[in-house]
Amino acid sequence: MGMRSKERGLFELYRDDPERADALVFNRRGLLKGSALAAMGAAVGGAIPFSGNMPSGYIPAALAQGAPAGTQPKILKMDGKADLVILGDKPLVAETPEHLLNDDVTPNDKIFIRNNGVAPDAVSNPDSWELTVDGEVNNVLKLTLGEMKKKFQPVTLALQMECGGNGRSAFEPKASGNQWTNGAISNARWTGVRLKDVLQAAGLKPSAVYTGHYGTDTHLSGDATKPAISRGVPITKAMEEHTIIAYAVNGGPIPQINGAPLRLIVPGWPGSTSQKWVNRIWVRDREHDGQGMGGTSYRVPVKPMVPGDKADPANFRILESMPVRSIITNVPNGTELKAGTRQVALRGHAWAGENTVSDVQVSADFGQTWTKAKLGKAANKYAWQTWTADLKLPDAGYYELWVKATDSNGRSQGHAPGHWNPQGYNGNAMHRVAVLVPA
Amino acid sequence: MSMKFVFAVVAAAALLAFAAGSVAQDEREPEEPTVFPEGEYRDEAFYLCTACHGSDLVRAQGHTRERWAEVLKIMVDRHNMAELEGEELDKTLDYLAKAFPPKGRVYSNPFLNRRQ
């Protein structure tokens, strides 16, 4: 049997009958041995120095990752955007692969794209854009962007903005929705005014408990009466001083596809609360009930549910802070290192929604040993943190570089995302990067 | 829960789309029913879904018939899809469950691809 057919056979076997493949490839003690080790090594393109640590049933990252067999990722070709990976054309959704997120401050071309509806056309005079603040307020405000810039103090902050579904693709069974890997995250420097200042100018009534956000994008069905999405946050989060109405990013205009000329940034919470093309903030006397609120959308189970089971909406709560996550950004998955490489310098970012990251660790031996990374401080609250670490690679062969972070509440990341839910929120499995040191 | 199950979940969970090395410019397929797998009721299902959103969103999913029913319910309740009844609903669900079943592990090995 030739190498090629052996490799293809392994892939097919795992795809078609993973249980049998495990039985054939791994022995009962869970260690790769003999011809099985050779087959696995051939499949990943090199010897596996830490094969003794590979758990039974474990699929190497090089095998487990990637677009479905026989397909290539679809790459976005859009003026002003880097080579993002398209998850969907209609609505346009594209993520930024981990290795394009190496900058400490995410440049505009690398800010991911997530639409729920049809994006509006650019406006010719951004300063005439009007925002209405109404509902449980003493004075209904109708402010143009020009007036807003004059009336309120500007703030500039580096802020995480992350889609609530980031990491969804790792759920098993598959959760519904865009199959994000880790690329629905950005950490750009946003300039705007505090939502708090605008709400205080309107004067909140004691009955104000929640916000409802509206933008000018339209529902995909073409129903003009239906918002593409309309979510909101509790007043306490709206009044938080890092929650801003942004009109600029990284010192210039916001890209049209990312919400120009005006959008909310509600850092650390699901991106769907950071309404793009925002033109109305409705202050509510109850939890907002707009499009994307209720059911199992942007919600997670209170009591853990059986993966794949039918969801009971009564067992769900709104996803607020995003979970802890870390990524390796300087070594793309599938990197062939120089022959003779025995140490690799790693770099990446870690963030944790409303919390800070207290620890980052990396491993090159399938998690048997962990090395503590040097962890930087956030530029400001809600900015991500940059980490660096060196890992030794004892020999030539195939390695996986794993990273995990722990947040200030002591919560870390698992190998698999926990708390399965039908629409796949809160998935924060460890990031794994496969590298090869040629013999 | 057996360790084997745990690790099987780990392995299956690690499905990450990524760009390995150079990636060819995507050549867009036409948005027509043939992008869905063949099967009875394919065209009806295709037009039902793509009236609003791209077919790639459907093709990225893999569900049991029961979970496809949940997905259709969300589309009806929240996204203006016409409510399906009787044979129409059954045939749609039969098609989706058969054409887009729960996904097994799919592999794409960067090193292997590079060497072939």
Side-chain angles (χ1 to χ4, degrees), chain A residues 115-144:
Chain A
N115 285 292
N116 288 272
V118 181
D121 291 333
V123 292
S124 55
N125 181 7
D127 278 348
S128 66
W129 183 270
E130 197 171 77
L131 173 71
T132 299
V133 180
D134 62 355
E136 306 302 305
V137 293
N138 295 319
N139 318 295
V140 171
L141 291 185
K142 282 186 190 293
L143 283 169
T144 65

Side-chain angles (χ1 to χ4, degrees), chain A residues 4 7 11 14-15 18 22 43-45 55-57 59 62-67 69 73-75 77 86 88-90 169-170 174-179 181 219-221 223 226 291-295 308 310 333-336 415-416 420 422-423 432 434-436, chain B residues 3-4 6-26 28-29 31 50-57 59-64 67 70-71 74 77-81 102-112 114-116:
Chain A
R4 194 185 165 95
E7 289 161 355
F11 285 116
Y14 264 101
R15 189 176 59 228
D22 274 358
V44 300
S56 173
I59 308 294
L63 291 169
Q65 301 184 25
K74 289 188 188 178
I75 303 301
K77 297 293 169 195
I86 297 176
D89 282 320
K90 184 187 161 190
S169 64
K174 293 295 164 216
S176 299
N178 292 295
Q179 298 298 304
T181 63
H219 193 266
L220 292 170
S221 67
D223 180 348
K226 201 173 185 67
Q291 183 80 358
M293 303 291 289
K310 191 171 173 176
N333 186 46
T335 296
E336 189 164 319
H415 297 274
W420 188 94
Q423 289 181 253
R432 296 154 56 189
V435 297
L436 187 69
Chain B
M3 286 306 281
K4 182 159 182 177
V6 170
F7 289 120
V9 170
V10 170
L15 185 79
L16 302 176
F18 71 106
S22 65
V23 176
Q25 161 79 54
D26 163 54
R28 289 300 153 77
E29 301 157 297
E31 189 73 336
T50 60
C52 275
H53 59 75
S55 66
D56 40 14
L57 186 58
R59 287 182 282 162
Q61 318 298 318
H63 298 314
T64 60
R67 287 207 55 222
E70 296 292 305
V71 171
I74 290 175
D77 291 351
R78 293 179 167 256
H79 295 295
N80 287 3
M81 193 177 86
K103 288 186 191 297
R105 300 165 187 174
V106 283
Y107 308 132
S108 176
N109 180 338
F111 303 120
L112 187 62
R114 211 171 293 172
R115 280 157 182 237
Q116 276 182 343

Side-chain angles (χ1 to χ4, degrees), chain A residues 55-357:
Chain A
S56 173
Y58 173 83
I59 308 294
L63 291 169
Q65 301 184 25
T71 68
Q72 288 279 7
K74 289 188 188 178
I75 303 301
L76 181 73
K77 297 293 169 195
M78 179 188 268
D79 284 344
K81 284 293 175 188
D83 285 357
L84 308 188
V85 174
I86 297 176
L87 302 183
D89 282 320
K90 184 187 161 190
L92 180 62
V93 178
E95 72 172 324
T96 314
E98 293 94 342
H99 67 271
L100 292 184
L101 289 168
N102 198 38
D103 305 272
D104 287 345
V105 174
T106 309
N108 292 359
D109 66 331
K110 291 168 183 161
I111 298 175
F112 72 94
I113 298 170
R114 195 321 184 210
N115 285 292
N116 288 272
V118 181
D121 291 333
V123 292
S124 55
N125 181 7
D127 278 348
S128 66
W129 183 270
E130 197 171 77
L131 173 71
T132 299
V133 180
D134 62 355
E136 306 302 305
V137 293
N138 295 319
N139 318 295
V140 171
L141 291 185
K142 282 186 190 293
L143 283 169
T144 65
L145 173 51
E147 289 166 346
M148 204 183 296
K149 286 176 182 168
K150 282 188 196 136
K151 194 168 176 186
F152 301 101
Q153 192 194 352
V155 285
T156 297
L157 294 163
L159 299 170
Q160 307 158 36
M161 207 250 302
E162 183 174 22
C163 176
N166 205 17
R168 177 180 290 132
S169 64
F171 278 104
E172 185 63 32
K174 293 295 164 216
S176 299
N178 292 295
Q179 298 298 304
W180 300 103
T181 63
N182 284 311
I185 177 70
S186 61
N187 184 65
R189 280 173 65 80
W190 297 91
T191 299
V193 300
R194 291 189 177 93
L195 176 56
K196 170 187 162 185
D197 292 346
V198 174
L199 292 178
Q200 278 173 344
L204 291 176
K205 290 182 176 172
S207 52
V209 298
Y210 221 91
T211 58
H213 312 153
Y214 293 85
T216 59
D217 45 342
T218 53
H219 193 266
L220 292 170
S221 67
D223 180 348
T225 65
K226 201 173 185 67
I229 189 155
S230 175
R231 303 198 62 243
V233 294
I235 286 295
T236 48
K237 181 65 178 173
M239 296 296 281
E240 219 264 358
E241 61 180 27
H242 298 84
T243 299
I244 65 172
I245 314 176
Y247 50 77
V249 63
N250 293 326
I254 299 171
Q256 178 60 22
I257 199 69
N258 295 119
L262 196 63
R263 69 167 298 163
L264 286 167
I265 298 290
V266 182
W269 281 37
S272 52
T273 60
S274 295
Q275 193 84 32
K276 294 192 285 182
W277 310 291
V278 65
N279 66 351
R280 181 188 179 202
I281 294 169
W282 181 19
V283 179
R284 307 292 314 267
D285 63 358
R286 66 198 68 182
E287 187 177 291
H288 186 48
D289 51 3
Q291 183 80 358
M293 303 291 289
T296 57
S297 297
Y298 303 99
R299 286 178 182 242
V300 290
V302 177
K303 289 179 216 148
M305 62 180 288
V306 176
D309 206 353
K310 191 171 173 176
D312 170 13
N315 181 40
F316 279 66
R317 64 169 178 85
I318 294 174
L319 173 60
E320 297 192 332
S321 175
M322 291 294 291
V324 62
R325 191 186 307 275
S326 53
I327 53 173
I328 295 167
T329 58
N330 68 326
V331 180
N333 186 46
T335 296
E336 189 164 319
L337 300 169
K338 276 188 193 153
T341 301
R342 292 296 177 265
Q343 182 163 315
V344 60
L346 295 180
R347 182 183 196 280
H349 309 293
W351 60 98
E354 294 208 311
N355 303 306
T356 54
V357 175

